[in-house]
Amino acid sequence: MRIPIERQKAKITPDLKRVVARFFFNGDARAKGIILRVTEMSDTDVEGAIIPLLREFSRRHRNITRIFERHAEKVKPLVQALGLDFDQLGMKRKLLIGSYFTNEFSIESAAFFNPSIVEDPDQSNLEEGEKRVILSFRAVGEGHVSSIVFRQAIVDRDNNVTIIPAGNYVDEPDIIRNTIYHKNIFFQNAVSISLPDSVLREVAGSLPDTFDYVGLKKVIREMQQRYQVDHLIKRNLERLLWLADSYYEINFSLDTDISDRVIFPYSDAESRGIEDARFVKYTGDTSGVTYYATYTAFDGVTIQPKLLATRDFYHFKIMPLYGEGAQNKNLALFPRKIKGKYAMMSRIDGINNYIMYSDKINIWENPEILQTPKYPWEFVQIGNCGSPIETPEGWLVITHGVGPMRTYCLGATLLDLEDPKIEIGRLREPLIIPNKDEREGYVPNVLYSCGALIHNEELLIPYGLSDYASTFATVHLKDLLERVKEG
């Protein structure tokens, strides 16, 4: 008999009105044609074109003039290539040029699911028993491109969830790329790219012990010229450059609401989406609290696990994860070190749960099998649904199992606090299964979560509904732990 849970009424669905103004570019030749046409317009015609645009789209974006100006700057080299002086064009003409290289992307037009939950760094002005939380979601828009978005919520003393309404705008951050790479660490992850050892050695041999993106790009472009006839090697050399492009920082304006911030795919390695961020409040370092999130980057061919770090949800550092254990999907970081080492769960083979330890948070080797499918509802595969949660009884891990008809259910596991390789118990039956109101959606029969939270002696679980929308369920923690230990 399954343990009783309580489903909440709160439900978060996709909102077509949530749009971001992104840079749009479809090739140098067409771009030059547009630029020439705009520069040939009279000042009167330019003003007649840009003023209505600003009037219309200023209602949809926080600072549309800044967006147009930034996008005009991106095509400045093409303006100069045409023999034109960009600085002498005039502000309104620049804004008009920028508008032709801008399009709106509805970030959650298709789906809004796979939520994660952490305590908000700000717990001020709350009543006794309340907690302010930050929820992250996988938002899917046009072309099935995924991004990470946020909402804020208040959980009351009875664990009822009130979602704070989203703001009126969606903002992209400023992107910073100034990473210095260490050769020995960088090429550890390069083994995941299908390049012959001889070619990898040639690249490495052409670089100093430390290098930057520009230096790597120069070496790769020179090698691509030498390997002109081998299209596979040329493409995989490009993928090596994408790997370097995976390191960056992003900064959001301090005047943005948490719901205004979207982490969109910003590197080539993420070009087809960033999926299933598993946020965790990490307290294992002497430097204070850091919020980490593991997520999956996808470029249309290759999956790359990545790590995101922030202290305030305004400033984020992004880096790839390296090593034998940083493969496939489903990585989830423990919220503190265990016996002096970082600890991570993963599912490197797509079927079983693994555990691994590391001295460095971005290098993961020597994964060991932790769990294999045991019950019929998880025979296809088992994986985690977010970072393990520390309780006096052990590490509580919400799992997902895939069974007949590729139905995804949520389960629970308890691991030993001192040695998480020891499984204390596992639910024999699912904790949550899709009911008749939850099984229809973008991908039917799928319940999935990327993190849960203990509050007022209950476990609060946000979860995705058939890869379309999201909702919440609660279960008494003591009852759950007792049932898990019986398994």
Side-chain angles (χ1 to χ4, degrees), residues 164-456:
I164 306 302
N168 295 323
Y169 303 107
V170 180
D171 285 2
E172 288 192 279
D174 293 324
I175 314 299
I176 303 168
R177 288 184 170 90
N178 56 4
T179 302
I180 299 297
Y181 308 100
H182 296 272
K183 184 193 295 187
N184 60 332
I185 296 176
F186 179 81
F187 282 93
Q188 284 184 42
N189 202 37
V191 298
S192 64
I193 298 170
S194 301
L195 275 170
D197 290 343
S198 60
V199 177
L200 276 177
R201 287 196 298 271
E202 186 178 352
V203 178
S206 304
L207 291 165
D209 289 340
T210 59
F211 56 93
D212 60 13
Y213 179 80
V214 174
L216 177 64
K217 185 175 182 178
K218 182 174 183 293
V219 168
I220 285 178
R221 292 291 180 254
E222 290 173 353
M223 290 186 63
Q224 285 177 323
Q225 288 297 316
R226 295 202 298 275
Y227 287 99
Q228 278 280 5
V229 297
D230 194 325
H231 297 295
L232 182 60
I233 287 183
K234 280 189 66 178
R235 175 169 174 76
N236 285 326
L237 281 168
E238 193 69 27
R239 300 176 88 72
L240 193 62
L241 193 59
W242 292 1
L243 177 62
D245 195 35
S246 295
Y247 292 86
Y248 58 91
E249 296 181 32
I250 58 178
N251 291 326
F252 288 96
S253 172
L254 294 177
D255 64 355
T256 58
D257 181 71
I258 184 71
S259 65
D260 297 343
R261 302 167 212 159
V262 56
I263 301 178
F264 208 79
Y266 293 115
S267 71
D268 288 330
E270 303 169 341
S271 58
R272 298 306 302 165
I274 51 181
E275 305 174 1
D276 304 344
R278 288 161 158 76
F279 276 88
V280 61
K281 181 181 179 181
Y282 189 86
T283 56
D285 289 331
T286 56
S287 55
V289 172
T290 300
Y291 294 88
Y292 287 109
T294 54
Y295 70 89
T296 304
F298 183 53
D299 66 8
V301 178
T302 302
I303 288 171
Q304 183 183 85
K306 299 186 74 172
L307 185 70
L308 173 156
T310 183
R311 292 186 182 275
D312 55 10
F313 289 87
Y314 287 100
H315 312 286
F316 297 82
K317 296 183 71 172
I318 316 292
M319 68 187 78
L321 295 174
Y322 297 90
E324 179 190 1
Q327 307 295 325
N328 214 299
K329 300 183 177 184
N330 232 229
L331 280 80
L333 184 69
F334 281 71
R336 63 169 175 83
K337 288 183 177 179
I338 299 173
K339 296 181 179 178
K341 291 183 178 291
Y342 296 105
M344 181 88 81
M345 292 186 68
S346 68
R347 196 188 64 214
I348 63 172
D349 58 9
I351 300 172
N352 306 296
N353 261 332
Y354 287 73
I355 191 167
M356 49 196 173
Y357 300 91
S358 179
D359 293 321
K360 296 184 178 180
I361 200 166
N362 64 327
I363 301 176
W364 297 94
E365 303 286 2
N366 305 313
E368 301 177 62
I369 283 188
L370 175 65
Q371 294 176 305
T372 60
K374 185 176 181 180
Y375 301 116
W377 56 276
E378 58 186 18
F379 275 178
V380 175
Q381 70 189 49
I382 185 173
N384 69 74
C385 276
S387 292
I389 301 168
E390 188 167 7
T391 77
E393 304 291 326
W395 294 106
L396 176 62
V397 182
I398 301 304
T399 62
H400 70 266
V402 183
M405 294 293 293
R406 287 199 64 80
T407 297
Y408 278 65
C409 301
L410 304 190
T413 290
L414 195 63
L415 307 176
D416 186 82
L417 280 179
E418 297 301 316
D419 186 1
K421 292 195 298 292
I422 299 174
E423 182 183 272
I424 297 172
R426 188 191 314 190
L427 282 183
R428 293 177 177 271
E429 296 181 276
L431 177 63
I432 312 177
I433 63 175
N435 64 22
K436 64 182 180 61
D437 298 319
E438 298 173 339
R439 64 187 326 128
E440 309 297 346
Y442 198 47
V443 183
N445 305 311
V446 173
L447 298 189
Y448 201 86
S449 178
C450 290
L453 184 79
I454 295 174
H455 182 55
N456 293 337

Side-chain angles (χ1 to χ4, degrees), residues 79-100:
V79 175
Q80 295 169 331
L82 290 168
L84 302 169
D85 188 340
F86 182 82
D87 295 330
Q88 296 299 315
L89 290 180
M91 179 54 67
K92 290 179 181 177
R93 199 175 299 269
K94 288 179 185 177
L95 293 178
L96 187 57
I97 288 174
S99 73
Y100 282 99

